């Protein structure tokens, strides 16, 4: 059992054997979705969240191990590494504690204490710390020499040494940390020169703000830090200075003689000049990291909900990117999302060719057999939706409003240019809107998640950590749904377990040159797709209509012999076993347990045989805004309106009520009970009913509530 497995199991309260096996699988290059789905026996049935936590903790511990190597080497070079110190460092796995141990040995710029030591004043500092000398000036006189002009300068140098000792003392640092953890306040003040500026208006809540740091929510902290970054706010973190100084002085000062007074002065200087700024910086970084983690968690959950939004499926769709002056860009797509036709219509002012637009849309719907219309939710969305719903079609056509966040980013991207090299950005954007209705997951993977618009302060958090978390979320969603091997784009295939950009491109090239895949085993013929990649990806790729029905399921090829044996024992084929519920129910799974295959895998196989290749996503529903409310001026307090949840934050949810400005349902207004997490009450794009509480025209804010609505 590795030291990593022991530490991780203890921190996460997990079984050591499961953690050790998970680490071994991660070291082999296995992906988290693969481990969670197909290696349950080895991990002890750990889920994706737990495996992700193991992976993240493992990476942190490896970073600490590398840091320890550097620290040991540095201290060794100074010839100060004792066996006891080496043991302490080797036994330490907490980053903060490790840095405290290293601090006295850490190479640093030339400090006041270092200058004093070079002048030979360290013995005087020791004399002062002993606090027995009744005449410190006499003791200091012995140290007056070149560079130390008088006894006052000697004592001052000795105090500088004591101040640095206080700062580098582990016990002292931990005491101040405890005080900050318990009592620290975060304080925000406006920079007076910026107080009346337009940019400062959004930060008025933080012009004179103070709150216990431990109670400061992530969105408030990130808002203050953003204001600080823009030069509008000054933000600080501080505990009670008097209490902190008194606490330290009790440790370092004994008695009430003249040396004690000098030590107390040195301790106070050490706290104010060195220790407090250091701990404040530490807590600023720690609180920022915690706020980042919360914001990233909100973003990833929103992204997961967005990616797993209900798909319309393979239907012929019209996509409309609405607009006023520049018109509405209309595209017609076949059931596979291929572009059949595009044109612009001008049903709205200032052009107002409404009759012409009516004729054109009705003709396109008829000519291309359009089954559903997707309308972007940006400018002129409401007006375009009402226009379309007023048209007459010869067959039923569903109408949906689709989020167009990120569509403009996609339309100008390299991906879009490769797909539609001879089309302009407006056509590409309309295609993206139409495809989002058909399959949100397949289309949204082409866009940088930060551009999708479902987070809070996503540009203020740690960008490396955000990207890693979002990439893992996309990978998780793609693999939980499964991917059609014969229709998936290169970008969608990139996120399949074990593939990546190169193998995804090779699969698409192979498909283009050799035609559709008819079995999973054909993947082995794809250039550079070796046994390891095949093992990782095969179970997540689907082939509808394959000769072997298991190729269109989540059953992994390594388990095909088990299913074949089940069918043989039942005197039927695999196809008949899938089709006959009674045959499946008669199977005693215990007969098929082996050293490598346990009940978790067998249970998963039976669930998959019940509905091979099932899509875990929900069914899509149509939605209509209140026809009497089209702009903010139509709103009145107390109105009850239908809306769509467009964004979820940890302080509440934003709801589109059809007035070109989303309203906020604060977390306290989500339900007639305490709500800890908005996701416990609503989901992204959920259809909800809200009541207008307040309209702030100056700040362009709409306050909504979901309480007390029947």
């Amino acid at each position: 059992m590795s030291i990593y497995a022991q530490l991780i199991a203890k921190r996460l309260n997990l079984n050591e054997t499961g953690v050790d096996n998970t680490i071994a699988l991660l070291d082999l290059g296995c992906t988290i979705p693969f481990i969670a789905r197909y290696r349950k026996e080895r991990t002890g049935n750990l889920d994706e969240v737990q495996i992700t936590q193991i992976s993240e903790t493992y990476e942190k511990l490896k970073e600490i191990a590398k840091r320890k190597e550097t620290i040991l080497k540095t201290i060794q070079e100074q010839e100060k590494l004792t066996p006891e110190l080496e043991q302490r460092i080797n036994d330490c796995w907490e980053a903060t504690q490790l840095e405290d141990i290293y601090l006295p040995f850490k190479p640093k710029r030339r400090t006041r204490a270092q200058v004093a030591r070079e002048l030979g004043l360290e013995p005087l500092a020791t004399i002062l710390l002993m606090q027995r000398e009744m005449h410190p000036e006499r003791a200091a006189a012995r140290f007056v020499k070149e560079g130390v002009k008088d006894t006052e300068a000697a004592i001052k140098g000795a105090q500088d040494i004591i101040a640095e000792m206080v700062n580098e003392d582990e016990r002292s640092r931990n005491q101040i940390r405890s005080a900050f953890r318990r009592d620290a306040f975060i304080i925000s003040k406006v920079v007076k020169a910026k107080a009346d500026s337009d940019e400062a208006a959004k930060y008025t809540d933080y012009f004179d703000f103070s709150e216990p740091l431990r109670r400061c929510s992530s969105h408030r902290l990130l808002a203050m830090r953003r204001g600080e970054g823009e030069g509008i706010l000054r933000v600080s973190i501080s505990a009670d200075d008097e209490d902190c100084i008194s606490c330290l002085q009790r440790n370092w000062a004994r008695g009430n003689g003249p040396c004690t007074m000098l030590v107390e002065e040195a301790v106070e200087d050490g706290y104010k000049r060195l220790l407090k700024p250091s701990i404040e910086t530490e807590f600023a970084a720690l609180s920022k990291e915690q706020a980042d983690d919360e914001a990233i968690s909100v973003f990833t959950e929103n992204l997961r909900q967005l990616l797993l939004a209900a798909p319309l499926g393979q239907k012929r769709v019209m996509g409309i990117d609405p607009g006023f002056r520049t018109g509405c860009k209309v595209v017609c797509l076949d059931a596979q999302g291929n572009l059949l036709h595009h044109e612009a219509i001008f049903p709205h002012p200032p052009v107002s060719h409404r009759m012409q637009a009516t004729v054109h849309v009705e003709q396109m719907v008829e000519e291309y057999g359009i089954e559903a219309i997707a309308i972007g939710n940006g400018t002129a969305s409401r007006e375009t939706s009402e226009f379309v719903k007023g048209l007459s079609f010869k067959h039923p056509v569903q109408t949906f409003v689709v989020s167009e966040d990120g569509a403009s980013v996609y339309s100008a991207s390299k991906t879009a240019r490769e797909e539609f090299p001879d089309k302009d950005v407006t056509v590409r954007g309309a295609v993206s809107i139409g495809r989002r209705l058909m399959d949100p997951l397949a289309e949204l993977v082409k866009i940088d998640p930060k551009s999708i618009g479902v987070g809070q302060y996503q540009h203020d958090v740690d960008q490396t950590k955000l990207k890693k978390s979002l990439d893992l979320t996309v990978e998780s969603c793609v693999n939980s749904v499964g991917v059609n091997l014969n229709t998936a784009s290169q970008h969608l295939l990139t996120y399949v377990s074990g593939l990546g950009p190169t193998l995804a491109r090779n699969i698409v090239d192979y498909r283009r040159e050799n035609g559709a895949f008819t079995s999973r085993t054909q993947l082995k013929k794809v250039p550079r797709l070796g046994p390891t990649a095949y093992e990782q990806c095969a179970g997540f790729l689907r082939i509808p209509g394959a000769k072997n029905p298991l190729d269109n399921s989540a059953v992994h090829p390594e388990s095909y012999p088990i299913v074949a044996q089940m069918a043989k024992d039942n005197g039927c084929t695999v196809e008949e076993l899938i089709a006959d519920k009674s045959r499946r129910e008669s199977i005693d799974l215990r007969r098929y347990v082996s050293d490598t295959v346990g009940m978790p895998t067998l249970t998963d196989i039976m669930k998959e045989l019940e509905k091979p290749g099932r899509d875990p996503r929900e069914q899509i529903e149509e939605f209509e805004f209140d026809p009497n409310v089209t702009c903010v001026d139509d709103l009145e307090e107390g109105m009850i309106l239908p809306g769509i949840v467009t964004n979820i934050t940890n302080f509440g949810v934003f709801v589109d009520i059809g007035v070109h400005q989303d309203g906020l349902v604060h977390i306290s207004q989500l339900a007639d009970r305490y709500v800890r997490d908005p996701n416990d009450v609503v989901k992204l794009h959920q259809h909800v009913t809200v009541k207008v509480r307040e309209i702030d025209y100056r700040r362009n804010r709409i306050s909504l509530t979901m309480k007390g609505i029947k």
Side-chain angles (χ1 to χ4, degrees), residues 512-634:
R512 187 184 303 115
E513 294 168 8
N514 299 279
F517 287 87
T518 56
S519 72
R520 281 173 168 166
T521 55
Q522 280 182 276
L523 283 163
K524 297 178 180 179
K525 298 179 181 179
V526 173
R528 300 181 67 179
L529 202 155
T532 301
Y534 177 76
E535 177 188 56
Q536 294 288 307
C537 74
F540 301 105
L541 295 168
R542 311 278 187 267
I543 307 177
K547 183 177 179 181
N548 186 339
L550 296 179
D551 281 350
N552 191 37
S553 74
V555 177
H556 197 281
E558 66 189 11
S559 296
Y560 285 8
I562 299 171
V563 181
Q565 188 62 50
M566 289 177 177
K568 183 179 178 182
D569 293 345
N570 272 269
C572 66
T573 64
V574 171
E575 291 89 337
E576 290 169 337
L577 186 65
I578 292 172
D580 193 335
K581 183 179 179 182
S582 61
R583 286 183 187 272
R584 296 195 306 274
E585 289 178 343
S586 69
I587 295 173
D588 181 2
L589 293 181
R590 290 172 296 182
R591 292 179 55 193
Y592 303 96
V593 173
S594 67
D595 292 340
T596 55
V597 179
M599 290 302 291
T601 293
L602 294 169
T603 302
D604 283 347
I605 289 172
M606 296 310 293
K607 286 179 181 177
E608 197 58 31
L609 293 180
E610 183 181 344
K611 291 181 180 178
R614 68 191 184 283
D615 192 322
R617 295 173 288 184
E618 297 177 353
Q619 295 295 309
I620 195 167
E621 297 177 355
E622 288 187 84
F623 173 84
E624 279 192 42
F625 290 114
D626 187 318
N628 300 311
V629 176
T630 60
C631 64
V632 175
D633 290 338
D634 293 334

Side-chain angles (χ1 to χ4, degrees), residues 236 307 311 578 652 682 705:
S236 61
L307 292 173
I578 292 172
V682 296
T705 182

Side-chain angles (χ1 to χ4, degrees), residues 42 51 97 111 116 190 196 202 310 320 348 472 511 535 554 582 589 594 633 644 664 690:
R42 291 195 63 184
I51 296 169
Q97 184 184 355
T111 63
V190 67
D196 298 323
K202 58 187 174 184
I320 303 179
H348 312 307
L472 285 172
R511 194 170 67 194
E535 177 188 56
S582 61
L589 293 181
S594 67
D633 290 338
I644 300 176
L664 173 66
V690 296

Side-chain angles (χ1 to χ4, degrees), residues 127-379:
I127 292 170
L128 295 183
L129 280 172
M130 291 174 66
Q131 298 171 55
R132 296 173 185 168
E133 176 64 57
M134 296 306 295
H135 302 285
E137 293 82 4
R138 292 181 188 173
R142 301 199 300 269
F143 295 89
V144 175
K145 55 183 178 179
E146 185 179 349
V148 184
K149 63 179 182 179
D150 52 29
T151 57
E152 185 179 343
I155 290 172
K156 188 71 183 73
Q159 285 180 310
D160 287 340
I161 294 172
I162 294 170
E164 188 168 274
M165 291 171 66
V166 171
N167 179 52
E168 294 179 350
D169 178 64
E170 283 185 63
R171 182 187 177 194
S172 297
R173 294 183 73 83
N174 284 327
Q175 284 179 320
I176 301 307
R177 277 194 194 99
S178 296
F180 268 68
R181 201 174 291 119
R182 184 179 60 248
D183 301 322
F185 272 71
I186 184 166
I187 300 157
S188 172
K189 302 283 186 183
V190 67
V191 175
K192 289 184 179 180
K194 298 287 187 72
D196 298 323
S197 66
D198 292 338
E199 314 93 76
K202 58 187 174 184
Y203 297 110
T204 52
D205 292 344
Y206 304 108
F207 278 11
D208 188 12
F209 180 86
S210 176
E211 180 179 35
L213 182 62
R214 66 178 186 274
R215 294 182 192 164
C216 186
S217 64
S218 67
H219 65 273
R220 287 200 294 274
L221 190 140
L222 290 172
M224 283 184 271
R225 291 300 181 192
R226 178 187 285 181
E228 182 182 41
E230 294 176 6
I232 293 167
L233 302 175
R234 284 198 184 92
V235 181
S236 61
I237 295 172
S238 181
D240 188 308
D241 286 347
E242 289 187 12
D243 284 350
C244 289
I245 292 168
S246 296
C247 178
L248 292 174
Q249 287 176 338
R250 283 195 295 272
N251 295 337
W252 291 83
R254 294 180 297 278
N256 53 9
C259 284
T260 300
M261 292 177 63
L262 294 173
V263 169
E264 286 178 344
E265 288 176 7
V267 169
E268 182 174 351
D269 174 57
Y271 169 76
K272 289 182 176 179
R273 181 168 55 86
L274 302 171
L275 186 49
K276 178 186 175 182
S278 172
I279 299 299
E280 180 178 352
T281 299
E282 186 180 303
F283 270 74
L286 180 63
S287 60
K288 174 66 165 57
E289 183 180 355
Q290 291 172 342
D292 282 2
D293 289 345
E294 280 191 48
I296 290 171
S297 176
V298 169
F299 201 147
T300 52
E301 178 56 31
N302 281 348
L303 179 63
R304 181 180 299 278
Q305 292 180 28
L306 190 63
L307 292 173
L308 296 179
L312 181 67
Q314 292 191 327
K315 294 188 178 182
R316 298 171 78 88
V317 168
M318 175 182 286
I320 303 179
D321 185 358
F324 288 115
R325 183 181 57 81
T326 56
C328 301
K329 286 68 182 177
V330 183
V331 297
C332 298
L333 310 174
D334 67 14
Q336 285 71 47
N338 298 311
L339 178 61
L340 302 174
H341 174 77
H342 68 88
E343 65 177 81
I345 59 172
F346 298 85
H348 312 307
V351 180
S352 298
H353 288 168
R354 196 174 185 86
M355 184 57 68
Q356 185 184 68
T358 298
V359 172
H360 280 229
V361 173
E362 290 176 351
Q363 284 178 346
M364 283 186 279
V365 168
E366 180 67 20
E367 182 177 351
Y368 296 102
I370 298 299
E371 299 168 87
I373 298 175
I375 301 169
N377 68 343
T379 303

